[in-house]
Amino acid sequence: MCIVDTIRQLANAKGMSITALEQAVGLGNGTIGKWIKQSPSCDKIKLVANYLSTDIDYLITGQEKSSPNLSADEQELISYYKRLPEREQMKLIGRASALAEMYEDQVEEPTVRTITLSCSDNRVSAGFGDELFDYEQWDTINVVETPISRKADFILVVDDDSMMPEFEDGDYILVRQQPAVDLGQIGIFYVDGKGYIKKYKGNHLVSLNPDYDDISLIDKEFRCFGLVLGVAELI
């Protein structure tokens, strides 16, 4: 697109012809048409650019001058604005202002996906142990959906500080139901009628807190309820 085509496009957007534009900026009739074959003076092209609310670079190249502070979308919006008649430019500014006021007080909050898991009222301890009652009493609880929480089958509550620093008293822990865990993994265990969260060491269970003694599994009624995946983030 040559300079004359660009000027004609911008002039038409303002509802005027090339001839009317020449009269408006004080150029002789047919002056702009001659710019197809000969380069205009800086003074004349500046008059036209100012009147059309654009810049000289755009008239010459037909492209908006890029700005490091403006995105491609922002530059495109400016291009549309400059092609509008002055009256429509004012309308566009008014609409943009109204939209900005409507949204300025609205704070977009990140979407948090949740899942619902079964939760037992019984608390488990790596120290002295609490009665599990085979988890006869269940409720439900909402937690933040994460790759870890999606793997969980139910939630239990930690009782005491015997698994600190990894698990604290009152933590809601995610558990995947399974009949056994590997050596060194933390699980939920039933030992002689009581429930524990502890690390499995084969023939005994250990706490992370050294203040608590190990629990031997030799000659004990023993069962694994599941693998501890981590701490749940409650809603």
Side-chain angles (χ1 to χ4, degrees):
M1 183 182 295
C2 70
I3 185 173
V4 176
D5 291 332
T6 302
I7 293 174
R8 181 179 290 109
Q9 184 183 63
L10 294 174
N12 290 341
K14 286 184 173 291
M16 62 193 314
S17 64
I18 290 290
T19 301
L21 174 61
E22 290 172 334
Q23 294 175 353
V25 298
L27 296 177
N29 188 23
T31 298
I32 294 177
K34 295 178 183 179
W35 294 351
I36 296 177
K37 296 182 178 180
Q38 64 185 49
S39 300
S41 66
C42 290
D43 291 340
K44 291 179 180 179
I45 195 172
K46 186 176 181 179
L47 285 174
V48 174
N50 289 341
Y51 188 84
L52 295 175
S53 301
T54 188
D55 52 58
I56 295 176
D57 288 339
Y58 182 75
L59 290 185
I60 296 174
T61 65
Q63 298 179 348
E64 293 289 342
K65 185 178 181 181
S66 62
S67 170
N69 297 321
L70 295 179
S71 67
D73 288 341
E74 291 169 336
Q75 293 177 28
E76 184 178 6
L77 287 173
I78 292 174
S79 174
Y80 293 148
Y81 169 82
K82 291 181 177 179
R83 296 174 190 176
L84 293 174
E86 184 175 357
R87 183 177 61 182
E88 297 302 322
Q89 288 177 343
M90 294 300 101
K91 290 182 180 178
L92 181 59
I93 292 175
R95 291 172 185 170
S97 177
L99 283 173
E101 290 178 0
M102 183 173 65
Y103 286 101
E104 67 181 1
D105 294 330
Q106 297 183 12
V107 179
E108 184 178 353
E109 296 184 357
T111 302
V112 178
R113 297 176 63 88
T114 64
I115 58 175
T116 302
L117 293 172
S118 297
C119 181
S120 173
D121 291 334
N122 294 292
R123 297 166 69 92
V124 289
S125 167
F128 306 105
D130 291 330
E131 299 295 338
L132 284 176
F133 301 112
D134 286 333
Y135 303 111
E136 293 178 351
Q137 303 297 322
W138 293 96
D139 200 349
T140 58
I141 191 169
N142 292 325
V143 301
V144 175
E145 182 181 9
T146 66
I148 294 178
S149 65
R150 286 197 296 268
K151 298 177 182 179
D153 295 305
F154 58 90
I155 290 176
L156 294 173
V157 184
V158 175
D159 190 30
D160 74 39
D161 61 353
S162 50
M163 290 301 282
M164 288 186 63
E166 189 164 348
F167 301 105
E168 298 182 2
D169 180 51
D171 278 349
Y172 286 75
I173 52 174
L174 300 161
V175 184
R176 184 174 66 195
Q177 187 174 4
Q178 57 188 63
V181 298
D182 294 334
L183 287 173
Q185 289 186 320
I186 296 174
I188 302 299
F189 304 102
Y190 170 98
V191 182
D192 284 349
K194 295 185 177 182
Y196 299 90
I197 171 176
K198 297 198 77 169
K199 181 178 289 189
Y200 179 64
K201 288 293 186 177
N203 61 0
H204 64 287
L205 303 178
V206 302
S207 302
L208 299 182
N209 187 337
D211 292 339
Y212 291 79
D213 294 333
D214 298 346
I215 294 180
S216 173
L217 300 179
I218 299 175
D219 297 327
K220 298 287 182 63
E221 184 181 359
F222 172 74
R223 177 182 172 188
C224 175
F225 281 90
L227 174 68
V228 176
L229 302 175
V231 178
E233 184 178 350
L234 305 185
I235 300 300

